[in-house]
Amino acid sequence: GRLTINDITTRPDLPFQTIHGKDINIGYTRSAYWVRLTIENTGNEILNWLLEYAQAYAHTVELFEPTSQGYRMISSGNRRPYNERPYDALTCVFPIHQPPGVAVYYLHLASHNRIALILTAWSERALHARQLQEYILMWFAYAFLLAMILYNFVLFFFIKERSYLFFVIFLFTNLIFLMSFDGTGFKYLW
């Protein structure tokens, strides 16, 4: 990741590739990736929409939005505190206010985890509806795991069988893994 937005926008020789398909899995890498998005607003008014990068555990996700003075950087990812994200979501979501015409956006991705190009354009209403569905399922799963942890800990406490304690530890580590994988741990715990 040594290239800057100025390098990306001023060098026409850079090998951007057209991506065919919905989701592209790059895999585990220490390389940084740049994604160029050319978006056209065919309406006569400013189009307000949300761009989601769907990996909650990405380290650095930066959107470069065109302005009259060049490009404005909007940062997200788990290297920044959650309360500094541009939009309150478990994944990296960027609010876009696009005037009529064609605009070119750049997305800079860098992570020590798996990188997949899973980008989705949302209206605010559609994203909220999807988030509500996901949150209900996640918190139901978390409540079930917490109930199982509590139940097996009570069994361990009264029966003194070590296997119940091992099962409690197993369930707790699974709970922490799920919370780190879907972003709730980053939002609520660390």
Side-chain angles (χ1 to χ4, degrees):
R2 290 182 180 82
L3 294 176
T4 65
I5 187 63
N6 291 334
D7 296 332
I8 296 295
T9 57
T10 58
R11 290 183 45 195
D13 62 322
L14 292 174
F16 279 99
Q17 298 176 2
T18 302
I19 296 174
H20 302 285
K22 187 175 183 302
D23 300 333
I24 306 299
N25 186 10
I26 295 170
Y28 290 90
T29 179
R30 292 195 179 267
S31 299
Y33 286 86
W34 286 87
V35 178
R36 180 174 52 203
L37 304 165
T38 304
I39 310 293
E40 182 178 7
N41 177 1
T42 58
N44 295 326
E45 298 179 8
I46 291 177
L47 181 63
N48 295 311
W49 57 284
L50 302 167
L51 176 65
E52 178 190 33
Y53 177 65
Q55 288 196 272
Y57 48 83
H59 290 116
T60 301
V61 183
E62 299 167 332
L63 177 74
F64 291 88
E65 181 179 36
T67 65
S68 58
Q69 293 84 28
Y71 280 89
R72 177 176 73 104
M73 182 179 75
I74 307 169
S75 295
S76 190
N78 65 16
R79 289 217 172 151
R80 302 184 59 81
Y82 185 86
N83 61 354
E84 292 181 13
R85 286 188 173 194
Y87 195 84
D88 185 19
L90 298 178
T91 56
C92 300
V93 176
F94 300 96
I96 307 283
H97 311 288
Q98 184 179 348
V102 176
V104 178
Y105 298 85
Y106 291 93
L107 193 66
H108 176 239
L109 306 169
S111 185
H112 301 298
N113 296 321
R114 181 179 68 93
I115 292 181
L117 298 180
I118 305 170
L119 301 170
T120 308
W122 294 96
S123 69
E124 194 162 358
R125 175 178 277 179
L127 181 63
H128 282 296
R130 201 269 331 246
Q131 284 179 324
L132 182 62
Q133 290 173 342
E134 285 184 354
Y135 289 172
I136 289 170
L137 290 174
M138 281 188 293
W139 289 107
F140 180 75
Y142 295 156
F144 178 75
L145 281 171
L146 287 170
M148 290 295 294
I149 288 169
L150 181 62
Y151 174 74
N152 282 281
F153 187 74
V154 168
L155 287 176
F156 166 73
F157 186 74
F158 287 110
I159 299 174
K160 305 291 188 220
E161 177 67 39
R162 285 187 349 181
S163 61
Y164 289 110
L165 179 62
F166 294 143
F167 192 55
V168 166
I169 294 169
F170 170 76
L171 290 171
F172 182 75
T173 56
N174 277 293
L175 177 67
I176 296 298
F177 169 77
L178 287 174
M179 293 185 82
S180 65
F181 187 75
D182 66 21
T184 53
F186 184 64
K187 181 176 182 176
Y188 297 110
L189 298 179
W190 48 83

